[in-house]
Amino acid sequence: MAVSAWFRLPCWPLLRRWLALAGLAAVLASGGGAVQAQSTLKADPAFPLELMRHGALYLANGVPPPEGVHALEDWLGRLERTNRVSLFGGSYWLHAVVRNDSPTTRWVVDPHGSLMEDLKVRVYVPGEPTQRFDAGYRALDSQYMLHYGGNVALPRGATAHVLVQIESRYFARFPSVDLVSEASYHKTVVSENVLTLAALGALMTLALYNLFMFYGTRDKALLYYSLYLLAATWGWGLTFHIGAEWLDFRGLEWHYIGFFLLPVFNTLFYLEFLQLQRLAPRLVLASRGVIALSLVLLPTCFLALEYAHALATLVISLSLSLALVAGVVSLASGFLPARYFLAAFLALIVPATFILPANLGLIQSPVRNTELLTLLGGTADAILLAFALADKIRLMAQQKDEYLLQLNRALDQASTDYLTGVLNRHAFDRILGAAMAPERDDEDVHQVMLVMIDLDGLKRINDEHGHTQGDALLCEFARQLQTLKSESTHVFRLGGDEFAVLGDAASEPAVRAAMADFESCLHAAGFKGCGVSYGMAFGSETRSGSQLLIRADGRMYQHKTAKRVDSPVAPSMRAVA
């Protein structure tokens, strides 16, 4: 039969009316005002009962709930059914029917999973007075610290209608409402509060400590890290109602300022810490773009609050992606502290994989307290970043020690005679100037002794045996002079065959005795005909370093002249030295 023939059958008008009624019924069932038959949920003290998942959700129309259960069906029939809560805010009623067959009678209705400004809870038990409590961000009193839950009583064998109004200008993620036993909820509240306060305290402590370290080191990475932690403490502290319950501060517009500043300070931190300006200039430009975007979107906290959480989520996601790339690039370039940076990133990204998609409504939160999980991840991130900074400081200290060692080696080389290994004329001028400095006490200056020494016979050795043998003579004499070296006595080669000893006047007898033996030692070493002429001067004779040098040098030449005169005067001239 042709299809058009069906429309000419006598039964077609009746069939058409039936299809129209079926279509109307489907429309009413999907979103109309008819009351849906609610399946009864079984309360179990061992497990939370998810009312949002199994109950019915309606759009609130401003009409207050009924006083008794008898009017509840008609009141629900005037509400519009909806499938889910909009993350951009609104007002909703949740209705669930619960039967308690367990011996537990003390229960808690627990709204959680997102910040909610106003909560109204009504529990209708046939034959019992209506139970009610109000909660939420704006509530002045709460039964449980930092939580929205409230106590209700469900007699054993009773069937109750639970009605919860949820209202907020935005929802950070899809809210949940559970029915849990009072004993179980009490343990949950205590454990979550301890973890929350401990994590916030750790963030604040690390922030203040590193801010103090910045004032001592002027390392910008420490400053940006401290500001990053302060922004995190601000944002999470308000999210967990620390400001509302402690300081009575309920400005919802200020909540996401801290979260918009997180990408700013985090980006500034890793740009400075990972040395990206040198390693990846293009990545620096992209990161600065994230900073600009975050600052541009920040006013939405006041101008478009319902969109602030979604925009902050997008900026934070972009910042984390760039941070991952930056850490990999820096580590691949050989910057070892990037290891801790990447470990910190992993500690943060694990909870972020739960909270960021839930913030955008892509998934339902897979854990009960997503905010706490993310806060703990952020605290672990902060601690690992502190390790990264400490590792950087350790490497900087190690590099500083290496630089100082190289500098000391360079100074030693600059102050050492390249042939003999004793100190040179540059070191002599510096040490003599320090010994005779005007600011030194007279008693210390009086103890200064300067010995000027001339090595006789060097020219003859050079002329007869060559400069190699002359150099050997200089090295041998320098080795002998080194026997005079002590903590307070220094040995110098001033140039050519001129040497000097600067020490303490108390060592004069030992120096004179050694000078008398040096000629014999040189002869024994094969340098026949070589000798030593010397002259001494003391700080007690003059306060001037130049005058001390002139006196010692003059006496050395007197000694040299006396040695050349073969007469009985020579021994007396030696005494002049």
Side-chain angles (χ1 to χ4, degrees):
M1 181 183 295
V3 175
S4 59
W6 282 98
F7 297 99
R8 293 193 296 269
L9 292 175
C11 64
W12 168 244
L14 181 61
L15 179 63
R16 185 173 59 185
R17 292 190 184 92
W18 183 86
L19 291 174
L21 291 174
L24 178 60
V27 171
L28 293 177
S30 61
V35 180
Q36 302 302 307
Q38 287 291 308
S39 58
T40 301
L41 309 175
K42 299 292 186 179
D44 186 349
F47 303 98
L49 180 59
E50 300 179 1
L51 303 183
M52 181 69 77
R53 183 184 297 256
H54 302 291
L57 191 65
Y58 302 88
L59 297 176
N61 57 9
V63 179
E67 292 298 325
V69 67
H70 60 278
L72 183 59
E73 183 177 355
D74 292 339
W75 182 80
L76 290 173
R78 296 192 295 271
L79 300 180
E80 180 182 352
R81 183 79 176 268
T82 186
N83 293 326
R84 58 168 32 177
V85 170
S86 171
L87 296 181
F88 301 112
S91 183
Y92 303 87
W93 282 104
L94 170 67
H95 174 240
V97 182
V98 179
R99 180 173 178 81
N100 178 30
D101 291 326
S102 72
T104 300
T105 59
R106 301 178 65 85
W107 299 83
V108 172
V109 177
D110 173 32
H112 64 275
S114 173
L115 185 142
M116 292 170 263
E117 290 188 86
D118 290 297
L119 289 162
K120 293 181 174 60
V121 178
R122 304 291 185 268
V123 178
Y124 304 95
V125 178
E128 301 284 343
T130 301
Q131 302 176 60
R132 64 186 69 200
F133 69 86
D134 295 342
Y137 182 69
R138 294 180 184 173
L140 298 179
D141 297 313
S142 58
Q143 296 185 34
Y144 293 91
M145 178 183 174
L146 309 182
H147 288 73
Y148 295 142
N151 298 331
V152 296
L154 298 181
R156 184 172 186 175
T159 299
H161 292 261
V162 179
L163 196 63
V164 182
Q165 184 182 20
I166 305 169
E167 183 175 339
S168 190
R169 282 174 284 178
Y170 75 88
F171 297 98
R173 60 204 60 82
F174 296 126
S176 299
V177 180
D178 294 346
L179 182 70
V180 297
S181 68
E182 184 178 333
S184 175
Y185 189 68
H186 179 76
K187 294 179 181 179
T188 299
V189 168
V190 171
S191 60
E192 290 183 348
N193 285 350
V194 169
L195 292 174
T196 299
L197 296 177
L200 292 174
L203 291 178
M204 180 61 72
T205 301
L206 286 172
L208 296 179
Y209 173 76
N210 284 276
L211 194 60
F212 174 78
M213 292 290 293
F214 163 72
Y215 283 114
T217 62
R218 296 297 172 180
D219 186 348
K220 291 183 180 179
L222 291 172
L223 174 63
Y224 297 142
Y225 174 64
S226 300
L227 295 176
Y228 167 73
L229 295 181
L230 290 175
T233 305
W234 171 270
W236 286 117
L238 293 181
T239 297
F240 283 96
H241 295 201
I242 301 296
E245 297 197 16
W246 183 26
L247 303 174
D248 198 27
F249 177 77
R250 291 178 168 80
L252 197 59
E253 297 81 5
W254 296 88
H255 275 220
Y256 274 88
I257 289 181
F259 293 114
F260 274 112
L261 292 178
L262 281 180
V264 175
F265 296 130
N266 182 47
T267 303
L268 289 173
F269 167 72
Y270 74 69
L271 288 179
E272 182 73 21
F273 175 76
L274 297 176
Q275 304 176 359
L276 290 187
Q277 189 69 48
R278 175 176 58 88
L279 300 176
R282 293 184 179 179
L283 191 58
V284 172
L285 293 177
S287 300
R288 289 175 177 170
V290 172
I291 294 175
L293 179 62
S294 185
L295 293 176
V296 168
L297 295 178
L298 188 147
T300 58
C301 296
F302 302 95
L303 303 177
L305 179 61
E306 63 273 20
Y307 301 107
H309 71 285
L311 295 175
T313 299
L314 290 173
V315 176
I316 291 174
S317 302
L318 185 58
S319 174
L320 290 178
S321 301
L322 288 176
L324 173 61
V325 175
V328 172
V329 169
S330 182
L331 184 60
S333 301
F335 185 61
L336 293 181
R339 299 170 298 174
Y340 292 102
F341 180 86
L342 288 175
F345 174 83
L346 293 177
L348 186 61
I349 201 63
V350 170
T353 55
F354 297 120
I355 192 170
L356 295 178
N359 284 358
L360 298 175
L362 301 178
I363 62 172
Q364 187 78 24
S365 297
V367 295
R368 171 193 145 71
N369 199 329
T370 310
E371 290 94 346
L372 179 57
L373 177 63
T374 309
L375 173 60
L376 294 177
T379 305
D381 167 71
I383 294 173
L384 289 171
L385 288 180
F387 289 157
L389 284 169
D391 193 36
K392 178 185 177 183
I393 293 173
R394 181 188 63 81
L395 290 177
M396 290 175 61
Q398 182 178 345
Q399 292 173 355
K400 179 182 177 182
D401 292 340
E402 293 175 355
Y403 292 150
L404 288 176
L405 181 60
Q406 294 175 4
L407 179 60
N408 289 333
R409 288 174 178 171
L411 290 175
D412 288 341
Q413 292 175 356
S415 301
T416 303
D417 179 61
Y418 72 97
L419 177 62
T420 63
V422 299
L423 297 175
N424 61 13
R425 180 58 186 259
H426 171 72
F428 173 77
D429 292 337
R430 175 169 53 84
I431 296 175
L432 177 61
M436 300 297 291
E439 60 269 16
R440 293 195 71 192
D441 294 338
D442 290 342
E443 183 178 351
D444 294 334
V445 173
H446 289 171
Q447 297 300 316
V448 175
M449 177 188 68
L450 174 62
V451 184
M452 296 297 293
I453 307 168
D454 193 75
L455 181 60
D456 300 329
L458 175 63
K459 184 176 184 305
R460 182 181 59 81
I461 294 293
N462 285 333
D463 293 341
E464 295 180 1
H465 302 285
H467 286 279
T468 301
Q469 188 68 5
D471 290 344
L473 171 60
L474 291 171
C475 291
E476 174 62 22
F477 183 60
R479 185 188 65 79
Q480 295 176 15
L481 278 180
Q482 288 277 48
T483 61
L484 301 176
K485 185 178 178 183
S486 66
E487 185 177 350
S488 60
T489 303
H490 305 279
V491 177
F492 308 88
R493 181 191 176 202
L494 304 183
D497 57 1
E498 295 182 359
F499 290 82
V501 175
L502 183 64
D504 197 314
S507 63
E508 177 189 358
V511 172
R512 286 188 182 275
M515 291 296 174
D517 295 335
F518 285 158
E519 286 189 2
S520 301
C521 293
L522 290 176
H523 296 164
F527 300 101
K528 303 295 184 180
C530 295
V532 177
S533 300
Y534 69 96
M536 287 185 176
F538 301 92
S540 57
E541 301 177 282
T542 177
R543 287 279 315 194
S544 170
S546 60
Q547 287 297 318
L548 187 69
L549 176 59
I550 291 172
R551 286 175 182 268
D553 202 43
R555 291 169 180 170
M556 183 269 295
Y557 279 106
Q558 291 179 25
H559 187 199
K560 181 183 289 288
T561 302
K563 288 174 61 179
R564 290 173 182 171
V565 178
D566 185 17
S567 68
V569 180
S572 63
M573 292 301 294
R574 291 174 181 265
V576 176

